[in-house]
């Protein structure tokens, strides 16, 4: 940890900071520049809150040199993590995994028809929400447990693995029974209770970046789950909130190489939400694979114009099939292939 | 709802949109401009998802004319809501309420000493977390139920009302027993389960704006609680996430008049988190009252340099006392007074 | 233009708005909903400032239905614009153009060595600043006219076209003499004088998006140049400013398909500035081509560790050569090829 | 300057960085932690570009300890700068200066009537643009030199000082003749040519923060002017660009105390643009003074509904008069008074 004092901080301010650091058990090294004094503190623990020093008089800035996460860091597992959903579906290996399905499970006929369509085009994972997070209290709530059951059935009939979102901790036992991977939606990335519960679960997790979260904060949320003992985590970039109003969120394509540099966890890209419009999904999906993503998550509906949720950003089955052809070519161009 | 077609959209695209709107039960009005056709749709319900139209071919934009919230809107209750914590403490009336206390309850001695200090200077509400939301899994977790018990004791001894944060739904029964107002932290503003649980509770709620939430989304979260039947809600502005790195978040001072225009709910300002540094708390607190805030929430610690959390942004009891003097003058200048 | 009144606006407020619109020469259509009255105004001119209506009492929002730009819109030239730098270098056609070179021209030996290297690997355009925009007044200013002369020489020796940045209007005559395309840097995207001067020039323009500009504002800046009579404009996405601090700016990959949908102008991507670090340049460049970009602009230096500016984000000649091989494969995968 | 290496960077990477730093003339100090090695470099000059080190292999981050500006820093002139427009109008002293006037000078009658109105209510500076920066090339361009002449006349008749915006360098000689302070608009904050020209001018400058600029970048732009020898600079906070779409920009109220801490230059607040709507101007103006601003800049028009530009955010003369009464009370509450 490095403490940068304000220019021309007084000697007594500097001494007070040093005393406080020694009290806290640090080894301290002082470097006195022409204008600015800098104090190095060795031996900082992950749990140390730099706010304890930032507030002292005369301090300009406290810089944490060590990363605040440990288990999520690349250094912890240099070779990279492979998240295994069984039956040959693995995120983080040489193959790129495509997960596809509707925003929400609406009926047996709907989910089965979509599952059949996406499986035929090469998807390996079926997605679909049974518990819908809702911007408005008046929106569609999802089918609940019956939706999970239908998702499982449709996945089994079509040789797919299943992923669905936990809106809160109460749904985790049900999700564990029905799906192969539990999704933490963007709005829950900072829900400590949910992260703790998933840390204790024996089930792969798909952890989505919140629209206001830095990459470091995404990795800290992963750290919560890792600290609980669950190492089967796939991260997802789905866009961050910016001033650009042309789309719901701005997909941070640089998050793909950044996560690969900083962490051992695989990362997939969810272009549907960031694209907001169907005709921008394909370019972003292609870009994701070109940038090195380990997977892509796509909203697909057999009849997008009548989808209960997210119709504007859903691909039709025909559009999905065409996109899969394009993604196969891009994957080959970067030396990988679709699972 | 207004559907704006792309310039030079084809007649068949326009007709398809109109047919779909009629199917959905809308009254439709078409206006054909030189370049652009606009379709008005009357009779939109709050729960309608505009995505069902946004995805249709040839559509450029769908504009919702009616606000997506209803119970939270100013039109619903023109006279404004007064949230009553009993014993004379009311948010939204002519008096401005100051809530103060430490980031976290640390011990009986700590919370009592702070409570005594802030009460003497004129605070009416004691704040302090017993369940700590943590950026890192290694941070301080809070004292749990015992912390709530200490907070209650300290509040009672000093004639204060008590507010504390719910990290998740499991803590709500305990909070109902111990505090006069339950805080929903910024990271939980979109936690549907928690909002639903508070809608069913008979307890005032302090709902904080998430760092990536628009004012409209804050009001939609309030709508969740209102729709459950709980009308005792105070909103809180605590800064939004921007590119400016000089402070944790950028306090959106315009949110104060904007909320007053759009909604009947009172709004308070939490400068501590946005300021990040002690020496910026006072100017922002003064600005909040000048802008018309119904309350201010301040982090205060008897020994900020040794606070377990948030020390950098906490005021000492002496600093708090001085600030209260300043706030009294500003309140008078805008024709109000501190409670 | 659509004027949305506040819920329950008074009849006299509504009538005042209608009267004002009629005064301004609009055809007016009123639609009275249950809560909200909406007024449609036909015949809005591009130069009309909606602020004249937004400020009237009882108005909630004014929505401009027609796009504020005309010459830049896709509808104006459906087939797309090809910007021709002569000698077979064209942006916007089937071929993707790679422009490469150092941040700044430093010496004859430097620019010539880099030009020779990038030409050998397949770049078609040489970039290099002679007038350096500087964050700090103490930074390197650039070599000035001599730098332009060296850039031209190096381009000619190696069969490349040349592009360089105008820091202001005074440099335009010189740039017209020396280069094949004039770059408007991100900080000048809103410099009206410069845009006007380039509108009158007979020289292709590379117009970079400012870090706080929406795509609509980028197209409005292009409209300034188009309105002056110069139609040879290539747009550039180089990242927008967001809260994510892991890179200088967040590259908005969705801008590529968005610009193609909204405008007829070609767009290239500049990953160097957005990546900030050399090891993130290649993934973003690959993503750009996968998303459909018409070109890529890359910082390349024969000795990045000793570059006077932008060393951290510059590729070595060897790294550039390897990346070109990757870009060729991605271009083929999306049905295009490098020029 | 502190160079933080990546965790487990190799010894040869570390040694290469140290060698490079020594080459560059720095004194080097190495601190080897358990995971992370940190290298301190003493003797960094203001003009040093940290990019020269950031790009080296194994480097995680380079942190500049000294501020990149010098003349603009508080340490350079602890007592604060007073910018004197003559005839008793001073920014940065105990008095708070109110500048007011229309967005654009439209006619002799208009500017004179407004000048007379704002002077009567206590404004000391008259603002009004003669050269209009335009979002769209089709907007109102301003009256040019005749507008400046009218502004000067109206100011003289009413005992006011005059401020007007330079759209580019060509207008500076004219502005020097006609006004007492030259405004650099937000879109020109990074226009080096303009900053250089103003550095050489003997005229106070009003420098507005760009919507994507950090406070540090605002101070760097001031540094450009200061480095040219002109010390008469007033900074202006007018809102930054964020995801919140309820207003044009989000006013960063914390910029007021932050600038006062970091710099000796006075700062005023321009609420009109940030507020976007007339009814939010007054609360923000009051907040500005409560936060410690040295001045407020307000758009005022005698007939806002017919203003050529910015009508929605302009106050009427009556509204301005009422606001002045409120501002006087707030100024007194913070121990200052209106000039």
């Amino acid at each position: 940890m490095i403490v940068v004092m304000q220019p021309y901080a007084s000697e007594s301010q500097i001494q007070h900071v040093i005393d406080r650091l020694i009290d806290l058990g640090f080894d301290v090294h002082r470097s006195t520049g022409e204008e600015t004094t800098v104090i190095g503190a060795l031996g900082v623990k992950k749990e140390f809150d730099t706010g304890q020093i930032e507030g002292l008089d005369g301090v300009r800035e406290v810089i944490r040199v060590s990363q605040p996460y440990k288990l999520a860091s690349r250094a912890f597992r240099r070779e990279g993590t492979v998240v295994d959903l069984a039956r040959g579906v693995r995120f983080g290996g040489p193959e790129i995994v495509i997960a596809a399905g509707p925003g929400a499970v609406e009926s047996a006929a709907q989910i089965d028809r979509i599952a059949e369509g996406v499986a035929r085009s090469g998807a390996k994972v079926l997605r679909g929400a049974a518990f819908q997070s809702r911007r408005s209290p008046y929106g569609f709530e999802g089918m609940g447990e019956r939706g999970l059951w239908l998702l499982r059935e449709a996945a089994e009939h079509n040789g797919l693995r299943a992923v669905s979102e936990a809106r809160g901790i109460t749904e985790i036992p049900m999700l564990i029974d029905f799906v192969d991977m539990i999704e933490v939606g963007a709005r829950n990335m900072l829900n400590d209770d949910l992260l703790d519960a998933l840390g204790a679960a024996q089930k792969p997790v798909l952890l989505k970046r919140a629209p206001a979260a830095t990459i470091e904060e995404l990795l800290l949320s992963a750290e919560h789950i890792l600290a609980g003992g669950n190492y089967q985590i796939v991260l997802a970039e789905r866009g961050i909130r910016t001033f650009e109003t042309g789309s719901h969120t701005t997909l941070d394509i640089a998050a793909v190489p950044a996560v690969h540099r900083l962490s051992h966890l695989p990362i997939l890209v969810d272009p549907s939400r960031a694209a907001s419009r169907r005709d921008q999904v394909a370019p972003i999906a292609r870009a994701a694979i070109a940038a090195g993503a380990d997977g892509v998550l796509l909203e697909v509906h057999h009849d997008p114009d009548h989808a209960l949720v997210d119709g504007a950003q859903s691909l039709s089955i025909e559009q999905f099939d065409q996109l899969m052809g394009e993604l196969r070519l891009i994957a080959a161009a970067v030396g990988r292939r679709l699972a």
Side-chain angles (χ1 to χ4, degrees), chain A:
Chain A
M1 186 174 63
I2 291 158
V3 182
V4 182
M5 301 300 293
Q6 284 169 8
Y8 309 106
S10 74
E11 189 54 38
S12 76
Q13 289 173 329
I14 295 168
Q15 201 52 53
H16 181 64
V17 171
I18 290 174
D19 292 349
R20 188 82 188 92
L21 289 167
I22 289 170
D23 270 8
L24 287 162
F26 293 110
D27 282 349
V28 171
H29 169 86
R30 172 176 177 170
S31 158
T32 308
E34 207 178 324
E35 286 177 16
T36 310
T37 292
V38 171
I39 303 164
L42 291 177
V44 182
K45 298 215 167 51
K46 294 279 174 227
E47 65 269 27
F48 181 73
D49 177 355
T50 54
Q52 294 193 43
I53 300 300
E54 276 162 9
L56 300 183
D57 282 345
V59 171
R60 199 183 82 197
E61 207 179 345
V62 177
I63 299 152
R64 203 174 186 120
V65 167
S66 54
Q67 291 166 320
Y69 46 83
K70 181 181 169 187
L71 307 174
S73 73
R74 169 62 69 176
F76 183 74
R77 197 185 263 192
R78 298 199 160 278
E79 70 284 10
T81 284
V82 173
V83 175
D84 194 338
L85 304 199
R87 302 204 200 154
V89 178
R90 287 183 199 87
F91 287 93
E95 295 184 334
I96 296 166
V97 178
I98 309 298
V105 180
E106 299 172 18
S107 70
Q110 174 243 25
I111 191 66
D112 203 58
R113 184 151 165 203
I114 296 170
E116 195 268 334
V118 302
R120 201 175 42 219
S121 301
K124 296 295 171 202
V125 179
L126 181 66
R127 61 150 307 161
F131 304 96
Q132 200 69 28
S133 284
R134 296 158 306 154
R135 201 170 161 269
S136 156
Y138 310 116
F140 176 57
E141 271 200 89
M143 295 184 74
E145 183 163 4
R146 172 147 172 78
L148 284 183
W149 196 87
L150 295 175
L151 181 77
R152 178 85 255 163
E153 285 286 292
E156 290 298 329
H157 290 168
N158 294 284
L160 298 167
R161 309 308 287 155
V163 60
S164 199
E165 184 176 350
R167 202 172 46 196
I169 49 173
T170 41
E171 296 134 7
I172 291 188
M174 253 186 288
L175 284 160
I176 287 180
D177 285 352
F178 284 111
V179 303
D180 305 299
M181 184 179 223
I182 299 175
E183 179 183 326
V184 178
R187 61 175 64 201
N188 274 317
M189 193 199 91
L190 295 171
N191 183 331
D192 287 0
D193 283 351
L194 188 58
L195 300 177
D196 286 350
L198 290 170
Q202 296 303 315
K203 190 66 86 176
V205 173
L206 177 61
L207 178 64
K208 284 191 168 179
R209 181 180 183 184
T214 60
I215 293 169
E216 182 172 294
E217 289 165 341
L218 173 62
L219 294 175
L220 274 167
S221 283
E223 186 87 1
H224 273 265
I225 301 173
L226 293 161
N230 187 349
Y231 280 68
Q232 294 285 296
I233 303 171
V234 177
L235 305 173
E237 163 61 33
R238 42 73 75 202
I240 57 174
R241 196 144 222 183
T242 72
F243 64 83
E244 173 59 61
T245 54
S247 37
H248 276 299
T249 54
T250 299
L251 192 106
D252 180 9
I253 192 75
V256 175
V259 162
H260 281 157
R261 187 179 74 246
L262 297 169
S263 179
H264 54 86
L265 296 171
I267 178 162
L268 65 72
V269 168
D270 173 1
S272 303
R273 195 103 201 105
S276 317
R277 339 176 14 117
R278 204 174 298 159
D279 55 8
Q280 293 198 180
V281 170
I284 298 179
R286 293 194 309 257
I289 291 186
D294 299 301
V296 178
L297 182 66
L298 290 157
E299 291 198 36
V300 177
H301 199 283
H302 67 289
D303 183 7
D305 289 359
H306 292 86
L308 285 188
V309 297
D310 296 341
Q313 68 208 41
S314 295
L315 300 177
S316 68
I317 290 173
E318 295 68 36
Q319 289 167 326
F320 177 70
D321 187 61
Q322 190 190 327
L323 176 57
M324 287 295 281
E326 297 170 12
L327 298 186
R328 250 178 224 108
L329 293 173
I330 305 271
V334 295
R336 298 175 81 172
R337 59 193 179 81
L338 298 198

